[in-house]
Amino acid sequence: MKILHYRVFLFLIINWGCIVADPDIPEGYNSYEKGGEPEAHINVWELSQYSAVLKINIASVGNRKLTQLRACYSETNPLPDTTDWVRDIYLQYKPDHEELLLSLPDLEPATNYYCRLYLANSDSGSYTNSVVFSTKAPSDDSSWEKVASIPWIEEQYACGFNFADRYFALSSLYPVEGGNKLIEYLPEADEWVKRSVLPFGCRVGPVAVVAGGKGYAGLGDIEVITEDGSHRYYSQQDWWCYDPETNEWERKADIPARTTGMMAAFGIEEKVYVVTSTDYWNSTPMQVWEYDTRSDAWSRKRNFPGDKLQRASSFVIGGRPFVFTGITNRMEEGGNVDDNKVEYTSCMWEYEANTDTWHRRVDFKGGGRERMVAVALDGKGYAGFGVQPVTETYLIRAVDWWCYDPDTDRWGRRSVLTDWFNIRPSISFALRGHVYIGSIYDGVWKYVE
């Protein structure tokens, strides 16, 4: 079957008659003797990379009133039913308007989907035959626009404060003359301006989050190069608050634990949560610490239940925090670390702060990787790029970009950006309805869906 060009109809006449068992259909509910046989027609009306619109014609509902009308669709099941993805379209059906449009959003590009209808009247219920359609493939980098560079390339920028209408990036890792910088991005001019010097100097893997209208940063490691050229890392426990209105920093209570640079952190209303560990690789679980901005106090929460991670990613969607991907070392028998068994994970977890519990969510569909950029906007999470393995010894830089819908717990591929090298720490943020990513070598890019 060949899908015709965009907005060209593919007329598929589907007869009512494929009857299968389904948990939502009572036993013996497939007789048409009293009501007559309904009949439906489906046309593929419109296709894009991420959605499809199907045109449905209800040709006949028999001698009884139509009581149920659902669209079932799937990527993998050629005969989708109500255990797959379902859209209830009964309320859209009007007896005097036999035609209606069915929109299927949040699909993946270049993917086959199967779809069929479930219809029922007062005496019978069954499925139509199945139709298949294919979404369009992303062909280029047209969703991305390069808008700025980062002028201070002698430093690296790996985190920042993402306020509702302002973004500040914190430099890290390399000390330079004049101290490490806090810089702000001005979207109206597509340029950066220096705001202050960081009071805690350079760090490896610092934390930076927004909570209660202010920015909080610190922790991470200080890197020291010894006389023999080796690198040593010293964990830091200091914690600082930044006020964007006064451009001033204030020292806050230290975290009462040794931390490492393998952290995920996020802010929820007036509180900050830090996921960390006292050691890089051993059997000690990852700890979760809560910081209350109102009382300037830290408290220990339940441990993170997943693998011990480095270079994981996170975003907060409508107050719901998610932590995903990263690398982990597998343990040998006896609890020792096997340095030769580094694994790239695709797992994803959601934290429920009110109950202090973690919930496993669907895996990131792009596969295991590390150092992804991630940001939330308009009820969705966006993430991509990073580094992923091809073999045990060969890594590649990923160029794909994905969207996560927390309501359906689904990842969908959105675009590619082949000019994004992502070979150094990167930043990502949302401003004025757009997602931005940036690094010192690649500059700043804006995503327009």
Side-chain angles (χ1 to χ4, degrees), residues 179-194:
N180 290 66
K181 300 178 180 67
L182 178 74
I183 59 176
E184 181 179 3
Y185 180 67
L186 305 179
E188 65 277 5
D190 286 324
E191 63 182 21
W192 295 87
V193 294
K194 180 181 175 182

Side-chain angles (χ1 to χ4, degrees), residues 285-305:
M286 295 192 75
Q287 301 174 0
V288 180
W289 288 87
E290 177 190 86
Y291 174 75
D292 192 324
T293 63
R294 296 162 295 188
S295 62
D296 188 28
W298 293 88
S299 59
R300 177 82 178 269
K301 312 304 285 185
R302 294 177 183 172
N303 290 336
F304 175 67

Side-chain angles (χ1 to χ4, degrees), residues 180-297:
N180 290 66
K181 300 178 180 67
L182 178 74
I183 59 176
E184 181 179 3
Y185 180 67
L186 305 179
E188 65 277 5
D190 286 324
E191 63 182 21
W192 295 87
V193 294
K194 180 181 175 182
R195 290 303 184 204
S196 74
V197 172
L198 300 183
F200 46 80
C202 62
R203 296 289 167 87
V204 177
V207 163
V209 295
V210 171
K214 294 184 178 180
Y216 292 85
L219 312 182
D221 296 337
I222 290 179
E223 179 184 21
V224 176
I225 302 177
T226 63
E227 292 182 356
D228 62 1
S230 61
H231 295 248
R232 300 183 66 89
Y233 297 89
Y234 298 90
S235 172
Q236 303 300 300
Q237 298 173 247
D238 56 333
W239 192 237
W240 298 79
C241 176
Y242 175 73
D243 188 333
E245 301 303 322
T246 63
N247 193 34
E248 294 180 348
W249 292 87
E250 181 183 359
R251 179 75 179 263
K252 295 295 184 178
D254 289 3
I255 189 172
R258 181 179 181 271
T259 65
T260 68
M262 53 190 298
M263 296 173 288
F266 42 84
I268 308 175
E269 296 180 349
E270 304 290 336
K271 296 181 178 179
V272 173
Y273 295 86
V274 175
V275 185
T276 184
S277 177
T278 57
D279 293 280
Y280 275 98
W281 301 121
N282 62 21
S283 58
T284 306
M286 295 192 75
Q287 301 174 0
V288 180
W289 288 87
E290 177 190 86
Y291 174 75
D292 192 324
T293 63
R294 296 162 295 188
S295 62
D296 188 28

Side-chain angles (χ1 to χ4, degrees), residues 379-427:
K380 303 286 180 66
Y382 294 88
F385 310 112
V387 177
Q388 62 183 160
V390 176
T391 66
E392 291 185 357
T393 59
Y394 182 65
L395 304 176
I396 62 170
R397 59 175 184 86
V399 298
D400 50 351
W401 184 242
W402 297 75
C403 177
Y404 175 72
D405 186 339
D407 294 331
T408 60
D409 192 28
R410 291 172 56 197
W411 285 95
R413 185 170 173 176
R414 283 294 180 263
S415 68
V416 296
L417 180 55
T418 54
D419 287 336
W420 179 255
F421 290 95
N422 194 33
I423 59 175
R424 294 291 183 179
S426 306
I427 54 176

